[in-house]
Amino acid sequence: MAVTSAGILPYRIAADGTVSALVAHMGGPFWAAKDAGAWSIVKGEYDPDDEAALDAARREFREELGLEPPDGEYAELGTFSYSSGKRITVFVVDGSGFDASNAAFGEFEMEWPPRSGRTASFPEVDRVEWVEVGCARELLVKGQRPALDRLDELVQASGR
């Protein structure tokens, strides 16, 4: 069975029409020195038999950033597949006025250094930033980039 995840992609539109999205740089030693392809929509895994996708996305947002997700009306952008078979369902919400500066990142543990027998804790996310959608395409992992195209379509269709 494919791994299923859900995430929230807050966006905002500047006065000049520029669309930005809130994206997160993945934490841990593997991603530390990487930038392009090392960012993600704030998301996490869930079991679709036990939890609705939007509920999971909201829970993961709280767990990864230590913040309540933005208030507002959520829209499902769609479900996107990675080349590995993993699937992510992405929801958007107008994040105008959302402040992520007080984020308190959740942590995970792993053996580090490899084969050392020692366990170390690392943040799931080590920073979160508002990034213009064109730049975000370069930053996001490849399997999530189609969500930005869908976001562009949604914003254009709304006439904003």
Side-chain angles (χ1 to χ4, degrees), residues 6-8 46 51-60 62 69 73-76 89-92:
I8 296 175
Y46 77 104
E51 189 175 23
L54 182 55
D55 292 340
R58 287 174 174 272
R59 174 181 50 76
E60 287 292 336
R62 283 189 294 274
E73 186 175 324
Y74 284 78
E76 184 175 328
T89 301
V90 179
F91 297 90
V92 292

Side-chain angles (χ1 to χ4, degrees), residues 11-20 94-96 130 151 155-156 158-160:
Y11 71 94
R12 63 185 184 188
I13 303 172
D16 67 0
T18 302
V19 179
S20 297
D94 183 343
S96 299
W130 286 101
L151 174 59
V155 169
Q156 288 176 9
S158 73
R160 292 168 75 178

Side-chain angles (χ1 to χ4, degrees), residues 101-122:
S101 64
N102 293 325
F105 307 124
E107 293 189 344
F108 69 96
E109 291 185 343
M110 66 182 279
E111 182 181 12
W112 192 257
R115 295 176 296 284
S116 67
R118 290 181 282 179
T119 302
S121 292
F122 299 97

